[in-house]
């Protein structure tokens, strides 16, 4: 019985939250760039154009496919919309040293940031990978978990909606 | 407890209505219904509870510089098989209040928090739900960053080892400095940064072997330096772990002997567009570190203070994960005295350019990796359990592997991945039974896109092994209807020894921030490893329903 009570309260909260929409600003979390420089995630709120945040890891097969697929069309996307992609590596110390050689070896053109103890992933409530978020003027306007070939086209349609 | 949790949700709903504050959170739930079939049956306790679930509801409430959060967890009626059986019922997992002011450079947390110093060799508290690890520290944490490139952290508290404020008996204290020297001194030609850490563990306990000779306080120190210039980079870390009781199978040695531990890690790399190389070398001696002495070596990773992953590549395909290496940082007396591991790994990534002979129209990606790990060169005294080691000597071989991966895009809609892997796995040492296993695994995968948004992925694998499980064959077919719906069928067939099919089929639906997946099949027993930490799982068959959402 008491569980039912919790369930009802939790459902009310969830319904309330979905009604209020995904409106949170990106919180400040210190990440590291591949150069070792510090990067504060509040910067994502201040960009003119939409920003794609892609949570990935070196051991996540679908993540690598998604980022490879986006890399193939990234120059066109940027030219047409000015969109920027930040690939957030959630690798811990087992895989983190593989990130820089992998990114260079694949010739990825976008920025890569390191979230070594998953602080940013936790703050953004990302529970599975790959997850992409699109942030526009401080708001999350699109979110998708998992990748099947072609998902990147849907992502791009969304970006087109929000670019001039 | 349950009522309190309900009230908390109601309270949060009201508060978020009344203010401009932000609420965000996530819900993740996995339920399993175990079904016996003609090959796989549960027995004993396990068979009595055939429905089990693990669920996590996380809520964060942010208002200005303040944030508050709670993670409620439910294991109903019991946790999934192979998770810590003490996780049962509904209770609070973690709870915190935090003040964070960037202008002041101040970040203060009271309650549960996660933290990592350096690479984690001295301290890491983190959550991994797939492995059932959550060793968050309950206490206080203060971070002060007078500049972007200079951060001081101080913390103290006790680790979570179960549900609802079930804490480790030992207390942890920590201090850490991270400093970007190049930024502070405005040097632009070379990038230099360093870090220093202290971690202390205090535990008051008695044991009949010790005669009052207790290691109450264990002090550990770590120093790190990283230097990079142009495409070259290097990082070095040394950890000294203070004298602590030598533990064997969860109990101290009969004389209560103590030893210090240490770890040395060196990474060297070079990267430019189209090429990346990295080498990691590591030596660890007596580096297991628990916040409660008698949790030493427990299979659920409860109370681990530091993170010592296997430095080997984590492979994607099913058959590549039958013989998985686990790091061997520990002291042990059986089958003979051992106290750690030494070895290294090398990774190379290269892309043949577009329109070159080997690159073709889209370029060709190649990845090579190899690793070698062995025991320390050690002389042990079976009478006392004490030992001496040589700094650079190698003992028995534990593991080595070598793999080649080629990724090729043939056309706009068609791509493939080929992989070859060779492994030598000292099963006798790592699992305590059998001898050296020599496994060769070949994998080919191809993906084809068609129609508006449909795709099909097919994968074939084969593993050749002379002993242990002998030969395996496996195949997967996955069909993506669109970006929301996906269906798969997989079978791993052990035709060399047990003549058993480990089949799985499933469907998943993803939309916005939600995902629902349903599958039916058999789970192979053995090591399940995520992010370098492993646990043993037993065979099981049945249905799995997975739901996740965030808001």
């Amino acid at each position: 019985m008491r569980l039912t009570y919790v369930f009802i309260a939790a459902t009310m909260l969830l319904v309330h939250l979905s009604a209020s929409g995904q409106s949170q600003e990106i919180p400040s979390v210190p990440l590291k760039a591949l150069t070792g420089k510090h990067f504060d995630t509040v910067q994502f709120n201040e960009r003119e154009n939409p920003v794609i945040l892609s949570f990935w890891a070196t051991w996540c097969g679908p993540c690598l496919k998604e980022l490879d697929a986006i890399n193939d069309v990234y120059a066109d996307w940027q030219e047409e919309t000015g969109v920027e992609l930040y690939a957030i590596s959630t690798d811990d110390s087992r895989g983190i040293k593989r990130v820089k050689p992998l990114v260079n070896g694949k010739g990825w053109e976008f920025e890569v940031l390191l979230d070594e103890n998953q602080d940013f992933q936790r703050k953004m409530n990302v529970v599975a990978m790959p997850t992409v978020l699109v942030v526009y003027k401080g708001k999350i306007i699109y979110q998708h978990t998992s990748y099947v070939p072609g998902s990147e086209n849907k992502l791009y349609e969304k970006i087109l909606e929000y670019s001039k | 407890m349950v009522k309190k949790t309900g009230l908390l949700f109601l309270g949060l709903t009201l508060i978020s209505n009344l203010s401009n504050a932000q609420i965000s959170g996530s819900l993740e739930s996995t339920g399993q219904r175990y079904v016996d079939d003609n090959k796989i049956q549960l027995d004993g306790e396990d068979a009595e509870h055939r429905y089990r679930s693990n669920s996590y509801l996380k809520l964060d409430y942010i208002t200005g510089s303040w944030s508050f959060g709670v993670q409620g967890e439910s294991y109903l009626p019991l946790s999934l098989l192979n998770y810590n059986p003490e996780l049962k019922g509904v209770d609070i997992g973690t709870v915190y209040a935090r003040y964070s002011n960037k202008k002041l450079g101040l970040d203060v947390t009271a309650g549960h928090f996660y933290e990592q110093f350096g690479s984690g060799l001295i301290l890491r508290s983190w959550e991994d739900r797939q492995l059932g690890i959550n060793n968050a520290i309950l206490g206080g944490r203060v971070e002060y960053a007078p500049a972007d490139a200079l951060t001081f952290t101080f913390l103290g508290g006790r680790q979570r080892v179960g549900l609802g404020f079930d804490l480790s008996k030992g207390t942890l204290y920590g201090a850490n400095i991270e400093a970007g020297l190049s930024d502070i001194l405005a040097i632009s030609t070379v990038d230099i940064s360093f870090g220093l850490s202290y971690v202390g563990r205090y535990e008051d306990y008695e044991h009949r072997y010790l005669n009052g000779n207790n290691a109450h306080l264990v002090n550990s120190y770590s120093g790190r330096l990283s230097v990079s210039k142009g495409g070259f980079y290097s990082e070095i870390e040394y950890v000294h772990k203070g004298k602590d009781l030598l533990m064997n199978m969860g109990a101290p040695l009969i004389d209560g002997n103590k030893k210090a531990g240490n770890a040395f890690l060196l990474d060297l790399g070079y990267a430019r567009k189209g090429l990346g190389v990295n080498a990691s070398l590591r030596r660890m001696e007596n580096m297991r570190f628990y916040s409660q002495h008698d949790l030493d070596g427990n299979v659920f990773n409860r109370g681990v203070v530091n993170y010592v992953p296997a430095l080997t590549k984590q492979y994607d395909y099913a058959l590549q994960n039958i013989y998985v290496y686990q790091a061997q940082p520990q002291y042990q007396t059986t089958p003979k005295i051992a106290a750690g591991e030494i070895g290294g790994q090398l990774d190379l990534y290269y892309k043949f350019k577009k329109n070159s002979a080997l690159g073709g129209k889209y370029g060709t990606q190649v990845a090579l990796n190899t690793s070698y790990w062995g025991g320390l060169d050690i002389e042990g005294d079976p009478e006392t359990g004490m030992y001496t080691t040589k700094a650079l000597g190698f003992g028995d071989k534990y593991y080595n592997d070598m793999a080649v991966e080629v990724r090729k895009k043939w056309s706009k809609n068609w791509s493939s991945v080929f992989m070859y892997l060779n492994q030598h796995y000292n099963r006798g040492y790592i699992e305590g039974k059998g001898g050296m296993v020599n496994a060769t695994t070949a994998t080919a995968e191809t993906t084809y896109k068609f129609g508006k948004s449909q795709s099909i992925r097919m994968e074939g694998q084969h593993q050749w092994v002379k002993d242990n499980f002998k030969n395996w064959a496996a195949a997967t077919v996955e069909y993506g209807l669109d970006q929301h719906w996906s269906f798969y069928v997989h079978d791993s067939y052990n035709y060399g020894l047990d003549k058993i099919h480990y089949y799985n089929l499933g469907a998943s639906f993803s939309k916005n921030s939600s995902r629902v997946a349903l599958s039916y099949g058999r789970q192979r027993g053995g090591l399940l490893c995520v992010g370098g930490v492993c646990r043993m799982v037993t065979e099981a068959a049945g249905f799995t329903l997975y739901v996740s959402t965030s808001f």
Side-chain angles (χ1 to χ4, degrees):
Chain A
M1 260 339 279
R2 294 197 297 174
L3 282 177
T4 320
Y5 178 66
V6 172
F7 184 76
I8 293 169
T11 312
M12 280 176 64
L13 179 62
L14 289 179
V15 168
H16 164 78
L17 290 168
S18 344
S20 62
Q22 296 170 327
S23 59
Q24 68 261 37
E25 286 223 322
I26 306 301
S28 165
V29 178
L31 300 180
K32 267 193 177 163
L34 288 184
T35 55
K37 296 265 183 260
H38 290 259
F39 185 99
D40 190 328
T41 53
V42 289
Q43 294 179 36
F44 296 135
N45 297 316
E46 295 148 11
R47 300 293 156 92
E48 269 297 290
N49 295 308
V51 177
I52 306 168
L53 305 182
S54 172
F55 288 84
W56 70 288
T58 57
W59 47 264
C60 162
C63 301
L64 300 181
K65 284 182 187 152
E66 176 164 41
L67 290 169
D68 273 340
I70 294 177
N71 192 55
D72 283 346
V73 290
Y74 189 56
D76 296 338
W77 284 15
Q78 280 213 304
E79 201 179 290
E80 286 163 35
T81 64
V83 69
E84 282 177 283
L85 169 69
Y86 289 86
I88 318 282
S89 155
T90 59
D91 280 276
D92 62 29
S93 57
R94 181 177 192 193
I96 201 162
K97 293 297 172 202
R98 207 166 270 123
V99 173
K100 195 168 177 172
L102 181 146
V103 166
N104 279 278
K106 284 177 168 293
W108 285 350
E109 301 282 347
F110 35 76
E111 289 285 324
V112 176
L113 300 170
L114 304 172
D115 186 20
E116 188 170 356
N117 205 25
Q118 294 103 38
D119 292 325
F120 189 49
Q121 184 194 342
R122 213 164 9 244
K123 276 234 167 136
M124 297 307 292
N125 290 300
V126 169
V127 289
M129 271 169 294
T131 289
V132 287
L133 306 172
V134 180
V135 180
Y136 182 60
K137 299 202 190 289
K139 307 253 185 289
I140 296 168
I141 54 160
Y142 178 77
Q143 182 166 353
H144 190 78
T145 300
S146 82
Y147 174 74
V148 289
S151 287
E152 66 275 10
N153 301 332
K154 286 281 173 207
L155 174 66
Y156 190 54
E157 281 172 24
K158 204 72 199 177
I159 291 158
L160 282 173
E161 271 179 44
Y162 283 86
S163 28
K164 292 150 235 168
Chain B
M1 193 66 255
V2 169
K3 203 164 183 178
K4 271 189 221 155
T5 319
L7 281 173
L8 186 75
F9 293 149
L10 278 177
L12 283 170
T13 314
L14 286 174
I15 293 166
S16 71
N17 269 326
L18 296 172
S19 68
N20 287 324
Q22 299 176 10
I23 287 191
S24 61
S26 64
L27 174 72
E28 186 178 22
S29 178
T30 308
Q32 292 191 321
R33 174 85 175 84
Y34 304 97
V35 182
D36 287 347
D37 59 35
N38 58 349
K39 291 261 189 183
I40 296 175
Q41 285 110 27
L42 297 182
D43 46 42
E45 268 300 87
D46 292 351
E48 284 169 34
H49 300 279
R50 294 191 164 269
Y51 174 78
R52 291 155 180 259
S53 69
N54 291 6
S55 305
Y56 310 84
L57 177 65
K58 174 175 170 286
L59 291 170
D60 297 294
Y61 172 80
I62 303 164
T63 174
S65 299
W66 290 89
S67 56
F68 305 88
V70 62
Q71 176 164 299
E73 301 181 10
S74 85
Y75 303 88
L76 288 174
L78 295 172
S79 56
L80 299 177
L81 283 183
N82 305 304
Y83 280 76
N84 177 4
E86 286 172 36
L87 296 172
K88 53 188 168 191
V90 184
D91 214 326
I92 285 178
T94 59
V95 59
Y96 73 88
R98 181 171 184 172
Y99 175 79
S100 176
N101 186 321
K102 203 162 158 50
K103 278 194 193 118
L104 298 174
L106 198 60
D107 187 339
V108 183
T109 307
H112 288 93
F113 57 86
Y114 302 98
E115 180 60 274
Q116 176 173 325
F117 290 169
S119 72
L121 272 174
I122 186 166
L123 175 83
R124 186 184 186 203
S125 68
W126 80 108
E127 181 184 41
D128 189 319
R129 292 172 183 174
Q130 269 174 287
L131 284 173
I133 291 180
N134 189 322
N135 63 347
I137 300 167
L138 175 65
R141 176 186 182 276
V142 177
E143 184 183 293
Y144 175 59
D148 267 353
L150 184 63
T151 308
F152 300 89
T153 310
F154 304 92
L155 60 86
R158 287 164 69 191
Q159 275 184 319
R160 171 185 175 186
V161 292
L163 199 53
F165 307 102
D166 179 9
L167 302 174
S168 146
K169 289 185 189 133
T171 307
L172 296 177
Y173 304 95
N176 188 57
I177 305 171
E178 290 292 335
L181 274 191
S182 305
D183 284 358
I184 296 167
L185 304 174
I187 302 168
S188 59
T189 48
V190 55
D191 206 56
I192 306 172
S193 62
F194 76 91
L196 294 170
S197 312
Y198 163 80
V199 174
R201 183 208 68 203
Y202 181 82
E203 188 187 2
D204 198 0
Y205 59 93
E206 292 298 330
H207 193 284
R208 62 199 159 92
Y209 289 169
L210 299 180
N211 303 319
N213 184 25
N214 299 9
H216 286 309
L217 182 63
V218 173
N219 294 314
S220 298
Y221 306 90
S222 149
R224 304 174 292 278
L225 178 70
S226 82
V227 179
S228 62
K229 187 174 169 57
F232 293 94
Y233 59 94
S234 63
E235 195 164 339
I236 192 163
E237 176 167 1
Y238 182 78
V239 181
H240 171 84
K241 181 186 166 225
K243 270 194 173 182
D244 196 0
L245 278 180
L246 280 178
M247 303 286 288
N248 186 45
M249 314 286 281
L253 297 183
I254 213 140
D255 303 323
N257 281 327
K258 294 178 206 166
K259 269 278 200 186
N262 63 73
F264 172 82
L265 174 66
L266 173 68
D267 285 292
L268 295 169
Y270 172 75
R272 64 167 166 81
K273 198 163 177 208
L275 171 70
V277 193
N278 185 74
S280 300
L281 305 169
R282 186 176 69 185
R283 182 188 187 278
M284 293 194 291
E285 178 176 328
N286 190 24
M287 268 309 287
R288 263 194 190 159
F289 196 5
Y290 289 87
S291 55
Q292 180 178 323
H293 75 287
D294 55 5
L295 288 176
D296 184 88
N298 78 88
V299 295
F300 301 113
N301 297 296
R302 295 167 71 215
V304 289
V305 173
N306 61 346
Y307 179 58
V308 281
L311 291 184
T312 55
K313 189 167 181 170
Q314 197 167 341
Y315 300 110
D316 281 347
Y317 299 99
L319 299 188
Q320 295 172 331
N321 286 301
I322 293 174
Y323 302 105
V324 184
Y325 182 63
Q326 284 179 283
Q328 303 290 327
Q330 76 278 10
Y331 168 78
Q332 63 185 51
T333 58
T334 47
K336 58 182 183 178
I337 291 177
E341 68 164 29
I342 181 168
Q345 65 170 345
L346 181 73
D347 273 86
L348 184 146
Y349 292 87
Y350 184 76
K351 185 171 183 176
F352 290 99
K353 285 197 182 103
K354 287 178 189 177
N355 303 318
S356 64
L358 288 169
K361 191 177 170 191
Y362 296 94
T364 302
Q365 296 182 18
V366 179
L368 297 175
N369 67 281
T370 183
S371 72
Y372 181 97
W373 295 97
L376 303 179
D377 186 353
I378 189 168
E379 261 180 61
D381 177 356
E383 293 288 310
T384 60
M386 295 298 271
Y387 62 86
T388 50
T389 57
K390 292 206 178 87
L392 288 171
F394 280 73
D396 296 340
K397 174 176 170 177
Y398 292 162
Y399 179 81
N400 92 285
D401 67 357
M402 197 279 291
V404 186
E405 181 196 273
V406 178
R407 283 171 188 262
K408 180 82 199 141
K409 188 167 161 180
W410 306 105
S411 73
K412 207 175 165 205
N413 294 320
W414 182 32
S415 61
S416 296
V417 183
F418 302 97
M419 206 165 167
Y420 170 88
L421 168 66
N422 184 253
Q423 294 167 296
H424 297 266
Y425 176 84
N426 188 339
R427 185 161 172 260
Y429 185 79
I430 301 165
E431 293 179 27
K433 55 192 168 191
M436 188 69 81
V437 177
N438 181 357
T440 300
T441 314
T443 311
E445 177 193 315
T446 194
T447 306
Y448 188 70
K449 279 198 288 185
F450 58 97
K452 201 175 160 223
S453 59
Q454 298 175 76
S455 67
I456 192 149
R457 185 177 77 87
M458 286 177 291
E459 164 199 303
Q461 307 172 43
H462 193 271
Q463 184 172 74
W464 292 266
V465 185
K466 288 221 164 61
D467 33 37
N468 200 220
F469 292 114
K470 301 194 172 161
N471 285 7
W472 288 80
T476 307
V477 179
E478 190 176 344
Y479 167 67
L481 173 68
D482 53 26
Q483 63 156 351
H484 303 303
W485 286 100
S486 167
F487 305 87
Y488 77 92
V489 185
H490 170 84
D491 186 33
S492 292
Y493 179 40
N494 178 227
Y495 70 89
L497 184 71
D498 292 328
K499 309 273 184 280
I500 182 169
H501 289 273
Y502 292 93
Y503 52 80
N504 273 281
L505 47 130
S508 69
F509 176 77
S510 309
K511 194 174 180 191
N512 302 333
S513 62
S514 302
R515 180 171 158 81
V516 181
L518 179 68
S519 63
Y520 172 75
R522 289 169 169 173
Q523 148 102 54
R524 187 177 61 81
L527 275 176
L528 174 71
C529 300
V530 179
V533 180
C534 307
R535 66 184 166 96
M536 290 303 287
V537 300
T538 47
E539 279 191 332
F543 294 92
T544 303
L545 176 66
Y546 172 85
V547 180
S548 74
T549 188
S550 65
F551 41 84

